[in-house]
Amino acid sequence: MTDAIAVTRQGTLRGRTEDGIASFLGVPYAAAPFGPHRFAAPAPAEPWTGKRDATEYGPTAPKAPYAPPFDALIPETSQDGQDCLNLNVWTPEPGPGAGLPVMVWLHGGSFSNGSANSSGYRGDTFARDGVVFVGVNYRLGVDGFLHLPGAPDNRGLLDMIAALEWVRDNIAAFGGDPDRVTVFGESAGGVAIGRLLVEPRARGLFRRAILQSGACHHFVRPDTARRIGERMAERLGVPHTAEAFAAVPLPELVAAQGALSDEFRQRPDPAVWGDAALNGMVFEPVADERTLPGPDLGVDILVGSNREENRLYMVPTGRFGTISEGRVKRGAEAFGADLEGYRASRPDASPGELLDAIVTDWFWRIPAVRLAESVPGSYVYEFAWRSPQFGGELGACHALELGFVFDHVDDPDYAALVGGGAPADLARAMHGAWVAFAASGDPGWAAYDPAGERVTRVFDAGACRVEGDPRAAERVLWEGVR
């Protein structure tokens, strides 16, 4: 292991090189979002003199832990400290001139959990394959996404834009090409990219985008955002203002954030939570309406979902086998789904299987399809490998593809979902497609044509294949539905 040096606009970094790959960890891309910067748009990072140590992960955004059983399924990584607007870089060619493709990772976690510091998000496999990888930490929960009078909305999204601006200005020093940046993310990270695609300030900061299990569909309207903010203020016993929230001790604020999320999960009543109740997330970007980017986007798109996404939220909780016919009917009505159409396409499905199919389509698959339909030349995938965990009932659930995309299926962070013996060839195929797309804009199969075959690459064990419009009958059932 030896030192690696990179010179940024803020100062010189000292990272480390191991097995031919250099890493620079905890690199600040903006000022610490505390003190005068609390609940403000990100400010430029302070410069430094000398060589700044970049061999250890930096602080992560304040957050409450995942609720059981997800705390055991999705390991959480947390480091205390105020300089939480930082990023991690892996590169095979530290120093200017290499002109390598760049991939910027935005983690998931329902906009209230997660971090780029998780071991499963190490970028060494991307660097191994000729990519400069950047993982971004951004503000979460109250600090990043709660509506507060006196503060800008969507502060977590503003952090992402600041990180992409840092990449534009500095990535050449790490061997990257600032004109070949691919932003990719999963779940909340994918949803965030869906907003960045239509955000004027983000235009020109990336050339390609990969959206995994998240697209342009999910946000809260301003009236809902205000209602949620007021409810958080009531819980804290303070006025609903940025100034009042900034005076709340951080541990108390984080505890109240977790309690608000628990209250939301236990009773997601639309009368209380507005349109957030249907989306299933109490913290989300704020927007007036759903916006699709359209044919003049100028960004290459790869988008997709997992075949049985919603099983992550049904199987480990024990709900999957107890879903009643009445619950399926109520769910179909809430989402505007054609229940009889689903029964016709799945005549032998149990109530749990029907509800999973409906929610998976509404929340993940149909938004991906609609994005692909709106941007000509987009590529679509579906992840279909079924986990052996929970007696096989977990299926191709939400977040299962992550270890395959990162080619880290043996990382302990993925063990609870993936289990043992995951197919290494599938990981190589999926990871390789992501790398190829970042390098050339072509992941290795035909683009999705709404007027043609609607080509979709299905990733499955021993059977990665191309299909035309998987479950076309169910897709048609959603035409005209939000």
Side-chain angles (χ1 to χ4, degrees):
M1 188 180 299
T2 59
D3 285 351
I5 301 298
V7 180
T8 73
R9 293 192 179 186
Q10 287 75 40
T12 301
L13 294 167
R14 184 182 70 251
R16 61 188 172 196
T17 299
E18 187 173 5
D19 297 329
I21 295 170
S23 62
F24 300 85
L25 309 179
V27 180
Y29 64 84
F34 293 93
H37 302 304
R38 191 72 188 279
F39 301 122
E46 294 291 331
W48 60 85
T49 58
K51 294 178 181 177
R52 182 187 180 109
D53 182 75
T55 59
E56 301 290 340
Y57 287 116
T60 54
K63 54 185 180 291
Y66 281 111
F70 305 106
D71 56 344
L73 295 171
I74 308 173
E76 185 73 286
T77 301
S78 298
Q79 280 90 21
D80 292 334
Q82 294 195 346
D83 286 314
C84 58
L85 299 186
N86 61 66
L87 50 81
N88 307 312
V89 181
W90 279 263
T91 175
E93 295 285 347
L100 299 174
V102 180
M103 297 186 73
V104 179
W105 172 247
L106 303 179
H107 67 81
S110 299
F111 295 107
S112 56
N113 287 94
S115 85
N117 298 4
S118 296
S119 67
Y121 296 155
R122 300 190 317 279
D124 56 334
T125 50
F126 287 97
R128 175 198 69 197
D129 295 330
V131 170
V132 179
F133 174 93
V134 181
V136 177
N137 284 309
Y138 55 91
R139 279 175 285 183
L140 303 168
V142 170
D143 277 75
F145 292 94
L146 189 76
H147 170 70
L148 289 170
D153 282 333
N154 302 325
R155 296 174 295 277
L157 291 181
L158 297 179
D159 295 344
M160 298 173 195
I161 292 172
L164 288 166
E165 290 172 340
W166 184 95
V167 168
R168 176 197 62 198
D169 296 340
N170 293 283
I171 206 63
F174 299 84
D177 182 348
D179 293 323
R180 280 206 294 167
V181 173
T182 297
V183 61
F184 72 128
E186 181 265 350
S187 193
V191 172
I193 294 171
R195 300 308 308 173
L196 294 178
L197 290 174
V198 298
E199 170 56 54
R201 280 192 53 189
R203 187 170 293 276
L205 293 177
F206 53 93
R207 181 173 175 180
R208 302 186 176 102
I210 305 174
L211 301 89
Q212 301 168 212
S213 303
C216 305
H217 198 56
H218 300 291
F219 59 94
V220 291
R221 292 180 172 83
D223 60 332
T224 293
R226 175 185 52 78
R227 188 185 308 181
I228 293 172
E230 290 173 346
R231 195 162 187 86
M232 184 68 175
E234 291 173 5
R235 180 173 287 279
L236 289 169
V238 301
H240 181 213
T241 66
E243 182 180 11
F245 271 61
V248 176
L250 189 58
E252 183 180 337
L253 187 67
V254 170
Q257 176 177 307
L260 185 77
S261 297
D262 289 342
E263 178 188 358
F264 174 79
R265 280 189 297 270
Q266 291 163 10
R267 194 179 176 214
D269 184 352
V272 176
W273 305 103
D275 47 350
L278 199 60
N279 290 353
M281 293 186 287
V282 71
F283 297 106
E284 293 184 82
V286 181
D288 291 318
E289 60 183 355
R290 175 170 64 94
T291 304
L292 291 168
D296 299 324
L297 176 62
V299 173
D300 300 330
I301 298 292
L302 171 58
V303 61
S305 58
N306 297 355
R307 181 162 291 181
E308 297 158 315
E309 299 262 12
N310 202 55
R311 292 198 184 201
L312 177 63
Y313 306 101
M314 300 169 70
V315 172
T317 59
R319 294 170 46 225
F320 183 70
T322 64
I323 300 293
S324 67
E325 291 288 350
R327 175 68 183 87
V328 177
K329 183 178 179 180
R330 292 192 300 274
E333 291 173 349
F335 292 111
D338 183 342
L339 178 56
E340 294 312 310
Y342 272 83
R343 290 191 194 281
S345 65
R346 286 173 163 80
D348 299 322
S350 68
E353 289 169 336
L354 282 172
L355 188 60
D356 166 59
I358 289 169
V359 179
T360 291
D361 279 357
W362 184 86
F363 203 102
W364 290 283
R365 190 170 74 93
I366 298 305
V369 167
R370 286 177 174 164
L371 175 58
E373 289 173 337
S374 77
V375 182
S378 295
Y379 296 89
V380 174
Y381 77 91
E382 181 179 74
F383 183 78
W385 181 77
R386 308 188 79 247
S387 169
Q389 300 294 81
F390 294 90
E393 287 189 336
L394 196 58
C397 72
H398 189 63
L400 186 63
E401 88 287 0
L402 288 170
F404 295 85
V405 166
F406 277 79
D407 197 11
H408 278 314
V409 288
D410 57 349
D411 188 279
D413 272 11
Y414 301 123
L417 293 183
V418 173
D425 57 343
L426 178 58
R428 287 192 295 270
M430 198 168 193
H431 174 81
W434 267 230
V435 169
F437 180 76
S440 68
D442 183 354
W445 63 91
Y448 187 92
D449 180 5
E453 296 184 8
R454 295 178 177 265
V455 170
T456 300
R457 177 67 180 268
V458 178
F459 289 97
D460 203 350
C464 290
R465 59 193 181 276
V466 170
E467 293 185 12
D469 202 6
R471 294 179 306 291
E474 293 162 345
R475 173 184 57 79
V476 171
L477 295 177
W478 292 96
E479 290 181 355
V481 179
R482 170 185 177 266

